[in-house]
Amino acid sequence: MKERKSPWSFFSGGYLLLVLLFIYLPIAYVLLFSFNDSKSLTNFTGFSLRWYENMVQDRTMLESIQCTVVVAVIATAVSTVVGTVAAIGLSKARRIIRNIVLEINNLPVMNPDIVTAIGLMLLFISTRIQLSLATLILSHITFCIPYVILTIMPKLRQLDDNVAEAAMDLGATPWQALTRVILPQIYPAILSGALIAFSMSFDDFVISFFTAGVGINNISMYVYSMKRYNPSVNALSTLIVVVVTLILVLVNLIPSIRGRNTKEGDTEG
Amino acid sequence: MKRFWAVLAMLCMLAASAGALAADYDPVAEFGSDVLNVYNWGEYIDKQVLTDFEKEYKVRVNYSLFSSNEEMYTKLLSGASYDVLVPSDYMIERLIKENKLQPLDREVVNNLDNLAEGVRNLDYDPDNTYSVPYLWQTVGIVYDTTKIDPAEMEEQGWSAFLNPEYSGHVYMYDSERDAFMVALKALGYSANTDDPDELQAAFEWLREMDKAVHPSYVTDEVIDAMANGEKWMALVYSGDAAYILSENEDMGYLAPKEGTNISIDAMVIPANATNPKLANVFIRYILEYDASLRISEEVGYASANAQVLEELSGEDGAYAGNDAYVPRAGYDLDEHYIDIPESLRSQYSSMWIKVKLHE
Amino acid sequence: MKSFFRMSYPYLLWIALFIVAPMIMILLYALTRSGNGLLTFQFTLENFTKFFNDATFMRVLFTSLRIALLTTVFCILIGYPAALFMASLPERKQTTMVLLLTLPMWINMLLKTYAWRGILMNFDLESEARVFIGMVYDFLPYMIIQIHTAIAKMDRDLLTAAYDLGANRWKTFLKVTLPLSVPGIISGITLVFLPAVSSFVIPKLLGGGDYVLIGNLIEIYFLNAGDWNFGSAISLIMALIIIASMWATKKLDRNAQEG
């Protein structure tokens, strides 16, 4: 289906551009002030790389990013798998069970972080589990799964039950029905769920603070504990944006280069 | 061959001289572990100090951060074991009361003579049995001297927060304890009172403040805002004020005549520390001139080391002529906070919320 | 198909352990008398009566609900067209858009809010306007992604068929796209409204301290006052009120699906 360049598509393109501008405006601001000469966050006094030097020398900060990434990757992987499997299972449950479980599922989303944090801390204290990197990861998985389920559930509800059933009637095993019929259909939702889970884990402060073991800091713990603003965190954020952008560009370039080598892709409109 | 022997001899001498510095030095044998877990406020140290300490003692410092005494205290409830904490005075009092600290090894921490006059003989730990001061400060008013005359400011003291002429140009620090301290001091009461009538009077005073000057209730963003001169006056800790004054020369600092809070952040060793031996060494190291100088210069809060305090505020010091750097010491009306019971804290919270809601 | 339900057993175990068990402890705190961080077994309802006897707490809760509700509405109004337009892009561009929307979520929320503070200082805005810009900013990507996920890969054949049958764009939207996107909107509302009720950092930083919100209140009682009992009670009351209002929304969803 080839889209014609109608006034409508100009309008919709323009709208999306505006939304992106809105979303990237503060990011640009953070980037800009990572090059500021002074500590101020409102006055740009001149160009300097001092916050980058500062960042490189700050071991606590560098270790915090390592911790953040490790925790986010593991939490995302586990919560995406568990969440997807659970969502598929739940979609076939009786309505009353599904509703109750989904209501419980909403609790971590709804509760203020401090309540989730103290709740989990109490759980670890009462089971005599020492706080560590493991408890931090467990806690992150716990608050990430609900986001994955919430993202996948609507897509599952759109799915036609009959398709999977028909496949099974035609001799497919439940496993085949799952991997060949259901998963391909909800794949974009799984991806979105994973991305949201990753963001939630990446940006969490309160829950991390109260469930991480001694000496374990993530970026948010660093940022929130700043008594006085340290623009090195802007430098750090700039680094994150640059690295992620590079990854995105690569991920997008590789298939298109490969596609050109084999056959002209028809996905480009 | 001759050359080989010469080189070998030189290497032996080098090894011998290095050995003299640390003959068979092994941090694990010495301290039981080569890791030190330090728990301190964010942005409250010069990182180089940690690196130097690590090099000198061949150990590793695990440095974690908190942003309030209460946050730190709650984290301790989980049983987390740190080696050195840097809480404030009233929190140290609570930790001592609850048997959560262990006495310092005074054979190791033998440099308490370095302490400045203002941080000796403190009520919560008069003999430094458990704690060694780290940095200290007063609470005061940072104000724009081009908008408010210094003499007029001094004359008004805390009652400047009731002056309707400043309406819309005031930042109030969003901390119930500090806000009530201001009101209680303005009324001539103790900042540590639990007398219901006095607390009620302070509550009324704060409500009047809210009506009179319509303050913006802020936390640490006030530092950047005042450095930019966004408002005329703000309630600020002197250490942050020292930074503001060094960034913006129009700003002045006042510790009001009615008295204020002096607060001390001090190093302590928790009862459940895993490496108390190294913790004692660390505490001594921080109190020495070199480390104290770097920390206070970087952070802007007053050093607990007398020599550093004098030098940084002296003629060639980094804070020469900065009114906020050296806290007022020995003033009768100034007080430390004492640890108050939970019921009183809860009451503070309820009343402070009503002030902020303009009720 | 019942066998599929077994797939959720691991998750059921997980929530029993990590969500239900902690919440039971929070409930115990809410129902007992204070003991600084310690759980005592002196049962009482005074934490709840304290909340309802003081109109201040109710007012704070309603302010929080109002801000969360308006934030959600703005997010739908701005996010829905965005999700719709995204869905009409070629598939690879859609993925890129989703990634572009999530990337900013990896930058610390506090940093972005400080940035907004700096940006908005140059404009003369009411504090309420600043708060909503910050709140909508923070939550918009969730809404867009949820709605987009629901309508993406929606049968293009269905749309083409609708066009072929002579339906115009507007009619296709009303009859095909909108009903299919309702679960996405509901998911978006859940992901925006629920956390928005208890969030307070953005209003605090952008509203010039003019906002005392329920999340702030709960944190103050948990941390500053160390009164876990009252803090727990407030959070439970909040949860119950939200769950009640979400049931109402779910009813709407069901009606929309059946109607």
Side-chain angles (χ1 to χ4, degrees), chain C residues 150-217:
Chain C
I151 52 182
K153 261 195 137 184
M154 195 169 55
D155 263 316
R156 276 186 173 234
D157 299 341
L158 208 61
L159 297 181
T160 325
Y163 285 134
D164 288 348
L165 291 170
N168 61 22
R169 215 178 266 275
W170 181 239
K171 226 172 183 175
T172 318
F173 171 74
L174 279 185
K175 294 281 175 199
V176 184
T177 316
L178 187 61
L180 274 171
S181 63
V182 168
I185 300 176
I186 299 284
S187 243
I189 291 174
T190 315
L191 279 194
V192 173
F193 181 73
L194 295 190
V197 177
S198 66
S199 75
F200 62 90
V201 175
I202 297 169
K204 196 172 149 189
L205 280 176
L206 295 179
D210 255 349
Y211 291 86
V212 182
L213 298 173
I214 197 80
N216 197 357
L217 208 65

Side-chain angles (χ1 to χ4, degrees), chain A residues 110-115 206 224, chain B residues 71 173-176 217-219 221 346 349-350 352-357, chain C residues 51 56-57 60-61 63-65 67 135 194-227 230-232 234-235 238:
Chain A
M110 165 169 54
N111 278 337
D113 286 348
I114 185 78
V115 175
V206 180
Y224 278 85
Chain B
E71 231 176 62
Y173 203 78
D174 187 3
S175 142
E176 44 269 53
Y217 299 97
V218 290
T219 45
E221 65 272 23
S346 202
S349 298
S350 309
W352 182 232
I353 288 159
K354 286 183 203 290
V355 171
K356 288 197 288 177
L357 283 170
Chain C
F51 185 93
T56 312
F57 298 124
V60 171
L61 180 55
T63 313
S64 312
L65 288 170
I67 289 182
M135 288 291 277
L194 295 190
V197 177
S198 66
S199 75
F200 62 90
V201 175
I202 297 169
K204 196 172 149 189
L205 280 176
L206 295 179
D210 255 349
Y211 291 86
V212 182
L213 298 173
I214 197 80
N216 197 357
L217 208 65
I218 294 171
E219 190 158 305
I220 285 173
Y221 279 100
F222 264 104
L223 287 179
N224 296 16
D227 189 345
F230 189 50
S232 300
I234 306 177
S235 70
M238 186 197 80

Side-chain angles (χ1 to χ4, degrees), chain A residues 1 12 15 23-24 85 89 93 105 142 145 147 150-151 155 157-158 165 199-200 202-203 220 229 237 252, chain C residues 1 4-5 7 11 14 78 85 96 100 106 108-109 111 137 142 146 149-150 152 156 180 187 191 253:
Chain A
M1 187 167 82
S12 63
Y15 187 87
I23 285 178
Y24 278 88
V85 170
N105 184 62
T142 301
I145 295 178
Y147 288 91
L150 275 165
T151 311
K155 203 74 200 167
R157 287 170 68 181
Q158 282 174 8
E165 250 160 49
S199 321
M200 296 311 297
F202 213 82
D203 200 27
S220 298
Y229 200 85
S237 306
N252 275 288
Chain C
M1 293 302 273
F4 277 113
F5 176 58
M7 291 171 59
Y11 173 66
W14 190 287
I78 300 169
F85 297 152
T96 310
L100 279 175
W106 301 356
N108 191 285
M109 187 264 276
L111 283 191
Y137 174 82
Y142 296 96
Q146 290 304 318
T149 306
R156 276 186 173 234
L180 274 171
S187 243
L191 279 194
D253 174 31

Side-chain angles (χ1 to χ4, degrees), chain B residues 112-354:
Chain B
L112 291 178
D113 290 342
N114 289 354
L115 286 176
E117 201 51 50
V119 289
R120 287 170 182 242
N121 280 323
L122 301 162
D123 303 339
Y124 60 89
D125 185 21
D127 308 317
N128 296 94
T129 311
Y130 297 98
S131 66
V132 173
Y134 179 76
L135 293 172
W136 56 303
Q137 57 184 316
T138 55
V139 178
I141 305 173
V142 161
Y143 62 102
D144 189 337
T145 53
T146 63
K147 299 287 198 293
I148 307 174
D149 181 62
E152 196 186 329
M153 194 70 208
E154 205 154 319
E155 177 55 37
Q156 295 179 85
W158 292 126
S159 64
F161 280 101
L162 299 179
N163 190 338
E165 285 174 34
Y166 308 147
S167 177
H169 302 292
V170 176
Y171 283 123
M172 185 69 197
Y173 203 78
D174 187 3
S175 142
E176 44 269 53
R177 190 89 196 254
D178 293 324
F180 271 89
M181 183 278 293
V182 168
L184 289 166
K185 281 297 181 187
L187 292 163
Y189 303 136
S190 161
N192 295 316
T193 184
D194 56 1
D195 180 310
D197 295 333
E198 293 181 1
L199 286 173
Q200 185 63 29
F203 178 42
E204 297 301 336
W205 192 95
L206 288 170
R207 285 159 90 167
E208 198 186 328
M209 170 204 73
D210 184 71
K211 281 202 200 84
V213 295
H214 300 287
S216 284
Y217 299 97
V218 290
T219 45
D220 292 334
E221 65 272 23
V222 69
I223 300 166
D224 199 34
M226 284 311 280
N228 285 322
E230 284 173 33
K231 299 214 173 193
W232 296 358
M233 60 180 274
L235 187 74
V236 171
Y237 300 111
S238 62
D240 297 326
Y243 167 76
I244 296 171
L245 265 57
S246 64
E247 291 285 304
N248 186 336
E249 55 186 18
D250 288 341
M251 294 294 159
Y253 179 76
L254 175 75
K257 57 181 195 268
E258 301 101 314
T260 185
N261 162 248
I262 293 192
S263 85
I264 285 137
D265 295 323
M267 298 173 279
V268 298
I269 306 177
N272 66 351
T274 40
N275 199 348
K277 269 187 165 175
L278 188 55
N280 278 293
V281 173
F282 181 79
I283 290 175
R284 179 187 63 202
Y285 185 86
I286 296 293
L287 188 58
E288 282 300 307
Y289 172 81
D290 289 337
S292 287
L293 181 74
R294 278 177 170 277
I295 292 171
S296 185
E297 186 166 359
E298 169 75 18
V299 180
Y301 280 64
S303 181
N305 181 308
Q307 196 188 346
V308 170
L309 196 62
E310 200 174 311
E311 200 167 306
L312 283 178
S313 57
E315 248 176 71
D316 299 319
Y319 294 97
N322 189 320
D323 288 340
Y325 176 71
V326 180
R328 174 170 70 190
Y331 188 65
D332 272 353
L333 290 170
D334 290 342
E335 287 177 288
H336 304 294
Y337 288 144
I338 61 165
D339 184 38
I340 52 175
E342 189 209 303
S343 55
L344 189 53
R345 274 182 270 148
S346 202
Q347 201 186 338
Y348 267 146
S349 298
S350 309
M351 292 196 290
W352 182 232
I353 288 159
K354 286 183 203 290

Side-chain angles (χ1 to χ4, degrees), chain C:
Chain C
M1 293 302 273
K2 279 279 174 299
S3 66
F4 277 113
F5 176 58
R6 261 186 256 144
M7 291 171 59
S8 47
Y9 287 177
Y11 173 66
L12 294 182
L13 183 70
W14 190 287
I15 55 176
L17 218 62
F18 291 104
I19 299 181
V20 178
M23 275 317 277
I24 289 175
M25 290 196 235
I26 294 290
L27 179 70
L28 280 177
Y29 270 97
L31 290 172
T32 49
R33 207 156 266 138
S34 61
N36 198 3
L38 291 168
L39 189 53
T40 58
F41 284 94
Q42 296 174 284
F43 285 94
T44 174
L45 282 177
E46 70 187 21
N47 297 312
F48 292 90
T49 47
K50 180 175 172 187
F51 185 93
F52 290 109
N53 280 343
D54 192 336
T56 312
F57 298 124
M58 257 337 219
R59 281 234 323 257
V60 171
L61 180 55
F62 278 114
T63 313
S64 312
L65 288 170
R66 187 179 66 89
I67 289 182
L69 190 68
L70 284 171
T71 303
T72 312
V73 170
F74 285 132
C75 281
I76 295 176
L77 290 180
I78 300 169
Y80 196 90
L84 200 62
F85 297 152
M86 261 169 76
S88 66
L89 291 172
E91 206 170 300
R92 268 229 342 269
K93 284 191 181 166
Q94 289 189 35
T95 315
T96 310
M97 271 300 288
V98 171
L99 290 171
L100 279 175
L101 286 173
T102 33
L103 170 57
M105 288 159 51
W106 301 356
I107 301 301
N108 191 285
M109 187 264 276
L110 199 65
L111 283 191
K112 289 181 289 187
T113 311
Y114 274 125
W116 272 119
R117 224 182 145 260
I119 296 167
L120 295 176
M121 251 179 43
N122 303 312
F123 303 92
D124 192 25
L125 285 172
E126 290 285 315
S127 71
E128 183 134 316
R130 288 200 300 262
V131 168
F132 281 118
I133 289 175
M135 288 291 277
V136 170
Y137 174 82
D138 196 46
F139 287 106
L140 184 61
Y142 296 96
M143 185 62 87
I144 298 180
I145 290 172
Q146 290 304 318
I147 300 177
H148 171 258
T149 306
I151 52 182
K153 261 195 137 184
M154 195 169 55
D155 263 316
R156 276 186 173 234
D157 299 341
L158 208 61
L159 297 181
T160 325
Y163 285 134
D164 288 348
L165 291 170
N168 61 22
R169 215 178 266 275
W170 181 239
K171 226 172 183 175
T172 318
F173 171 74
L174 279 185
K175 294 281 175 199
V176 184
T177 316
L178 187 61
L180 274 171
S181 63
V182 168
I185 300 176
I186 299 284
S187 243
I189 291 174
T190 315
L191 279 194
V192 173
F193 181 73
L194 295 190
V197 177
S198 66
S199 75
F200 62 90
V201 175
I202 297 169
K204 196 172 149 189
L205 280 176
L206 295 179
D210 255 349
Y211 291 86
V212 182
L213 298 173
I214 197 80
N216 197 357
L217 208 65
I218 294 171
E219 190 158 305
I220 285 173
Y221 279 100
F222 264 104
L223 287 179
N224 296 16
D227 189 345
W228 292 14
N229 309 79
F230 189 50
S232 300
I234 306 177
S235 70
L236 284 178
I237 293 167
M238 186 197 80
L240 286 176
I241 291 181
I242 295 177
I243 288 173
S245 59
M246 287 304 281
W247 271 345
T249 345
K250 288 240 172 69
K251 261 231 155 76
L252 284 176
D253 174 31
R254 211 169 297 156
N255 291 344
Q257 287 215 321
E258 281 158 12

